[in-house]
Amino acid sequence: MEEKNKPLELALDLLKHTQIARNNEYRYINPDFGIVISFAGLDSYLFKIGQPYRTKEGRIIRALRGRARISVNLIEYDAFPEMIIITPPDSIIQVISFSPDYDFQVIVASNNFLPVPHREDLTDSYMKQGIVIKLTDKEWEEMGMYFSLIWETVQESTFRKEVVQHLLTALLYNIRYIQKKNQSSINQSPSHQEELFRRFIALVNEYNKKERTVSFYADKLCLTPRYLNTVIRQVSQQTVMEWINQAVTLEAQVLLKHSNLMVYQIADELNFPNPSFFCKFFKRRTGMTPQEYQKR
């Protein structure tokens, strides 16, 4: 029996047992690993423009054609061909726009799927912050070979777990080498302010359900509230509170659309003093009441 108040996530165990597409021959999913070789071919009705979704596992996305704009944990990215995007586990992803011809490939692995000797090493690199890399033609072809090899391997009658694990490990190490090469060749290391912004956003994504004061995040970063606000505004043209409110709004949208929680339970989950306060906040942010958003 499904737990009544458990929020639904885009997780492998859910997607495996859910009809999300018309052409399932373009995907392979088991409880630990999944790959989609063509999302356009899949003809999925899973994603809707502007609707945020929480993803339990990390994703490796390889854009094939067209153009899209997506938000990963509050940060927006343009996704177009010859680009690799890695999203961390427990991310909120939102499709903002995409062209009619947009297509991509995606690999999804459970957080414990990688072999133990490499798991912690690669987890530190890829599972805490998202990564977006523009590839050269040669690097793009190499990435395509990894995806093709993994796809061909999962077509075997028996799931060859060790083979897929090591192909995925090699793919991630190759992405790491490309990222380091790009950073050293064009001096892409983030500035001190940019690094503070990244750390701030990570904290907001982690704590926004309970903590909504500038002083809390300033303390976490060992800064004064005034200095934190100055840095965040300089880097992003938004204030600390604007980022916090945006994160809370996304959390509310996910819970309203993808959980069985009642509005008053969501208000409590997001640490609002009462449902009325939550409803006013949500309407001010979205132009709709929570009930109107659920029924949209």
Side-chain angles (χ1 to χ4, degrees), residues 15 23 30 174 222 282:
L15 297 177
N23 304 318
N30 70 30
N174 197 39
C222 301
F282 191 84

Side-chain angles (χ1 to χ4, degrees), residues 212 267 271-282 284:
R212 308 216 184 102
N271 203 31
F272 282 90
N274 55 63
S276 175
F277 196 90
F278 167 63
C279 291
K280 290 177 182 177
F281 169 87
F282 191 84
R284 187 171 66 249

Side-chain angles (χ1 to χ4, degrees), residues 131-234:
I131 293 175
V132 178
I133 303 176
K134 181 72 170 67
L135 306 177
T136 65
D137 290 344
K138 182 181 178 182
E139 291 164 348
W140 177 250
E141 290 179 9
E142 289 174 352
M143 290 298 156
M145 291 172 63
Y146 280 111
F147 272 75
S148 295
L149 276 171
I150 292 172
W151 176 251
E152 290 169 11
T153 302
V154 300
Q155 300 308 304
E156 299 292 337
S157 56
T158 301
F159 180 60
R160 301 180 178 182
K161 181 176 179 179
E162 293 80 5
V163 177
V164 176
Q165 282 179 319
H166 287 86
L167 284 171
L168 177 58
T169 300
L171 169 60
L172 287 170
Y173 273 119
N174 197 39
I175 292 172
R176 172 186 281 187
Y177 281 119
I178 292 170
Q179 183 192 24
K180 287 185 175 180
K181 183 202 70 175
N182 289 350
Q183 288 178 343
S184 60
S185 64
I186 58 176
N187 193 25
Q188 279 190 334
S189 297
S191 67
H192 175 66
Q193 289 186 331
E194 290 170 336
E195 183 58 33
L196 276 177
F197 174 71
R198 293 183 185 182
R199 291 168 59 195
F200 164 71
I201 290 296
L203 289 170
V204 170
N205 283 306
E206 183 177 357
Y207 292 106
N208 72 81
K209 286 185 178 181
K210 300 297 181 183
E211 301 291 346
R212 308 216 184 102
T213 64
V214 178
S215 60
F216 172 83
Y217 295 97
D219 287 345
K220 282 286 184 181
L221 294 167
C222 301
L223 303 171
T224 66
R226 182 176 180 179
Y227 182 71
L228 176 61
N229 241 327
T230 299
V231 170
I232 299 307
R233 185 186 286 275
Q234 287 177 347

